[in-house]
């Protein structure tokens, strides 16, 4: 659920410029790679559904850990891939900011946070599947680690930027932010378990969607086996 | 890989996350909604607190900025629109794109 919920004007101007520039840079790389590498039609469909699910769950406050929301960015990354996952992070954050959930000025920072979750979850899931892990532990583990990385990125951005109006020295601010990051790891656990169940279900009914049985299915359909 | 190794690793990861979550929960004020927790912690630093980890009585609610800003209808509309587009594209791909991809492979 890592997401910087601070209001407009919470970060100094230089920090906004830096995070926005980095966010734009990441999106430029993503768009460039999508243009050169192309997109599978199947991924576009998954990206559409992923964006809808992520946006909806983003706005729902769940009564655990005092009241938090989930992101589904780990699941989005696993299903749509790191490139489309990054674009989905942008779309969800733009719509959320338009409704007052997250500041417009923090769009670059929040895209970095959520994109890191999708990217890490995707590559870790592929690695674990390559190591012959089952769908549930691979999906749950990848999503939990991805979301944890996003939480650490969120904390890093806040500590590096500093918060306008906060009298806390930087060291105390780092401890305070570490507490928020720690809570996010607890939420990552819950979201990781949910993601694991979704991935396991998809792997059993449509293994091609999560890439756990596509090669076997292709071999069967062509009648050619090694 | 052996199943016990997979679930053992996952259990270890979950144990670390649970411990970090419990520490973060108490160190940042206990049972507080995220916005209030975040604001208090970043302004005043860590402050011990407690409360129930799960409060089912509160139910699942729409995020404060949307609820208090009177944008619940807009939220539902955007969600509905994104869902329609997503499901529409999925159905299109499921019915037609598979044929197109097969034709493209056949002509290569």
């Amino acid at each position: 659920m890592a997401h910087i919920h601070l209001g407009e004007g919470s970060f100094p101007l230089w920090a906004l410029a830096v995070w926005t520039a980095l966010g734009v840079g990441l999106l430029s790389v993503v768009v460039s790679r999508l243009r050169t590498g192309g997109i599978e039609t199947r991924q576009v469909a998954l990206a559409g559904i992923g964006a809808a699910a992520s946006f909806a769950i983003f706005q729902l406050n769940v009564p655990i850990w005092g009241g938090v929301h989930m992101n589904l960015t780990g699941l989005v990354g696993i299903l749509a891939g790191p490139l489309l996952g990054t674009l989905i992070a942008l779309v969800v954050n733009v719509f959320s900011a338009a409704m007052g959930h997250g500041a417009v000025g923090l769009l670059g920072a929040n895209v970095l946070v959520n994109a890191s979750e999708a990217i890490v979850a995707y590559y870790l899931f592929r690695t674990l599947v390559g190591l012959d892990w089952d769908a549930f532990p691979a999906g749950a583990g990848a999503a939990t680690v991805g979301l944890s990385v996003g939480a650490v990125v969120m904390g890093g951005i806040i500590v590096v930027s500093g918060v306008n109006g906060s009298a806390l020295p930087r060291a105390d601010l780092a401890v305070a932010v570490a507490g928020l990051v720690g809570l996010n790891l607890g939420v990552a656990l819950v979201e990781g378990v949910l993601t694991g169940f979704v991935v396991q279900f998809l792997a059993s009914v449509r293994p091609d969607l999560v890439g756990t049985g596509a090669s076997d299915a292709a071999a069967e359909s062509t009648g050619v086996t090694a | 890989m052996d199943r016990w190794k997979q679930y053992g690793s996952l259990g270890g990861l979950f144990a670390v996350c649970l411990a970090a979550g419990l520490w973060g929960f108490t160190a940042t004020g206990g049972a507080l909604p995220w916005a209030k927790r975040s604001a208090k912690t970043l302004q005043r630093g860590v402050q011990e607190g407690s409360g129930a980890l799960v409060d089912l009585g509160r139910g699942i609610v729409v995020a404060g900025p949307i609820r208090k800003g009177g944008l619940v209808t807009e939220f539902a509309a955007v969600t509905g629109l994104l869902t329609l587009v997503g499901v529409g594209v999925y159905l299109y791909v499921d019915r037609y794109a598979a044929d197109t991809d097969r034709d493209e492979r056949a002509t290569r």
Side-chain angles (χ1 to χ4, degrees), chain A residues 1 3-7 61 65-69 101 176 180 183, chain B residues 24-25 27-47 50 58 63-65 67-68:
Chain A
M1 63 149 287
H3 185 227
I4 302 171
H5 293 78
L6 297 169
N61 208 294
W65 298 109
V68 294
H69 70 77
H101 186 182
L180 296 174
L183 185 79
Chain B
F25 179 77
T28 57
L32 292 173
W34 180 264
K36 198 175 286 182
R37 175 195 308 280
S38 173
K40 282 181 72 173
T41 304
L42 293 178
Q43 294 296 328
R44 300 177 204 167
V46 289
Q47 288 182 322
S50 62
R58 198 166 58 81
R67 198 174 64 246
K68 291 167 190 162

Side-chain angles (χ1 to χ4, degrees), chain A residues 5-6 45 55 59-61 63-67 99-100 133-134 137 144 165-166 168 176 178-179 182-185 189 206, chain B residues 1 3 6 14 17 20-21 23-24 32-34 37 41-43 45 53 55 58 60-63 65-66 74-75 79 90:
Chain A
H5 293 78
L6 297 169
F55 173 74
Q59 322 304 335
L60 296 178
N61 208 294
I64 54 171
W65 298 109
M99 294 187 164
W133 278 44
D134 294 342
T144 305
S166 173
L168 291 177
L183 185 79
N184 269 290
L185 298 194
L189 187 165
R206 289 290 303 272
Chain B
M1 184 182 276
R3 192 161 282 173
Q6 299 176 30
F14 283 174
C17 287
W23 171 72
L32 292 173
W34 180 264
R37 175 195 308 280
T41 304
L42 293 178
Q43 294 296 328
L53 286 177
D55 181 12
R58 198 166 58 81
I60 297 172
V61 295
V62 177
I66 296 175
E74 286 81 352
F75 160 59
T79 303
Y90 180 84

Side-chain angles (χ1 to χ4, degrees), chain B residues 69-91:
Chain B
L71 291 168
V72 175
T73 309
E74 286 81 352
F75 160 59
V78 172
T79 303
L81 180 68
L82 286 171
T83 306
L84 271 178
V85 171
V87 172
V89 174
Y90 180 84
L91 289 176

Side-chain angles (χ1 to χ4, degrees), chain A residues 22 24 47 70 78 115 126 165 185 205 213:
Chain A
L22 287 175
V24 169
M70 293 189 283
I78 290 170
R126 299 261 51 96
L185 298 194
V205 296

